[in-house]
Amino acid sequence: MLYEDDDILIVYKPISMLVHPDGERCDTLINAVANYYKNCNIYFTHLHRLDYETSGMIVIAKNIFSASYISNEWENKNVTKEYVCLCKGVFGKKEDTISYDIKSDRHVNNKQVVIKSKINDNIKTHYKVIETKNNISKLIVRIDGGKKHQIRAHLSSIMHPIIGDKIYGVDNHDRMMLEFYHIEFNHPRNQEKFVFEIDKEF
């Protein structure tokens, strides 16, 4: 557990862990939280998800009011979400925004397709290169929206897939180098800005 107050809980999700049960596996983050609260009469619900291959924090609401409030903030794009990742190659632009449309791949399960001919202002991926070494670039990424595989698909579409991404890149690492490390939103209790950040793994 990373942080807890009367309204929210923030926990860390490692790679190779599902956020919620899929009918087959029970070693999920939500089941771990349920075990944490097993002797307490506490309502809780996760407010977002991370891919199985992605590490980082998950924000959990501890009551119906906080769940409704933060979910509304999320829908109205009042939540700032930042990720760190390592990508293949040297970027021509050190800072840019990708806003290509994304849809599900009809031929490959659990994969998205980027539509470069169509711009979608609801799913923007903003990136900034902070370091490049040995043909690998380290990025800070902020997203608007939250389409499935948005960061992974967008970066791959500009020929800079995330290192270790088995779906959109080359499986050349023991893990996918993508982590959700920073979040900002108005706290449901006092409506003041709440900022939380974890130490980046890479």
Side-chain angles (χ1 to χ4, degrees):
M1 307 303 168
L2 300 171
Y3 172 88
E4 185 173 13
D5 61 28
D6 290 338
D7 300 290
I8 59 174
L9 171 72
I10 300 178
V11 296
Y12 183 80
K13 188 197 87 67
I15 59 169
S16 303
M17 185 181 202
L18 293 172
V19 172
H20 55 85
D22 63 352
E24 298 180 4
R25 299 184 58 169
C26 60
D27 54 336
T28 65
L29 183 136
I30 291 303
N31 283 347
V33 174
N35 185 63
Y36 176 67
Y37 287 134
K38 65 180 179 181
N39 296 319
C40 308
N41 185 24
I42 291 180
Y43 163 94
F44 71 89
T45 184
H46 61 291
L47 299 170
H48 62 107
R49 303 178 184 180
L50 290 177
D51 295 338
Y52 179 76
E53 306 91 337
T54 304
S55 61
M57 53 185 167
I58 295 288
V59 181
I60 293 171
K62 292 176 59 179
N63 53 64
I64 295 175
F65 169 74
S66 60
S68 176
Y69 180 88
I70 300 174
S71 294
N72 186 65
E73 290 288 282
W74 222 295
E75 285 198 17
N76 290 324
K77 299 181 180 179
N78 293 327
V79 178
T80 299
K81 302 156 283 183
E82 291 187 355
Y83 297 71
V84 61
C85 63
L86 299 182
C87 294
K88 179 182 178 182
V90 178
F91 283 67
K93 295 182 179 179
K94 298 302 181 183
E95 193 169 351
D96 202 6
T97 296
I98 308 167
S99 53
Y100 299 134
D101 198 14
I102 299 173
K103 68 176 184 179
S104 298
D105 192 323
R106 294 183 298 173
H107 307 290
V108 181
N109 186 37
N110 197 37
K111 185 177 182 180
Q112 302 292 93
V113 175
V114 173
I115 313 300
K116 286 190 174 184
S117 60
K118 183 178 180 182
I119 299 300
N120 187 338
D121 288 330
N122 293 316
I123 50 171
K124 294 182 178 180
T125 300
H126 313 274
Y127 72 81
K128 182 176 182 179
V129 180
I130 59 175
E131 182 182 12
T132 300
K133 186 178 181 180
N134 298 327
N135 203 41
I136 294 176
S137 295
K138 184 175 182 179
L139 277 60
I140 296 298
V141 179
R142 177 172 54 86
I143 63 171
D144 297 334
K147 190 80 171 179
K148 181 178 180 179
H149 296 178
Q150 179 176 327
I151 297 174
R152 299 165 63 182
H154 268 168
L155 289 172
S156 179
S157 75
I158 60 170
M159 307 306 292
H160 293 291
I162 296 172
I163 301 297
D165 191 337
K166 298 178 181 179
I167 298 178
Y168 301 96
V170 180
D171 184 17
N172 55 356
H173 201 277
D174 58 357
R175 63 156 292 178
M176 186 172 68
M177 304 302 284
L178 174 64
E179 182 168 71
F180 179 37
Y181 82 100
H182 178 99
I183 192 165
E184 299 178 21
F185 57 88
N186 293 326
H187 196 285
R189 180 69 55 170
N190 53 22
Q191 286 76 57
E192 293 181 357
K193 179 172 282 191
F194 175 83
V195 180
F196 194 83
E197 184 171 308
I198 62 174
D199 292 333
K200 298 185 284 291
E201 283 196 18
F202 45 85

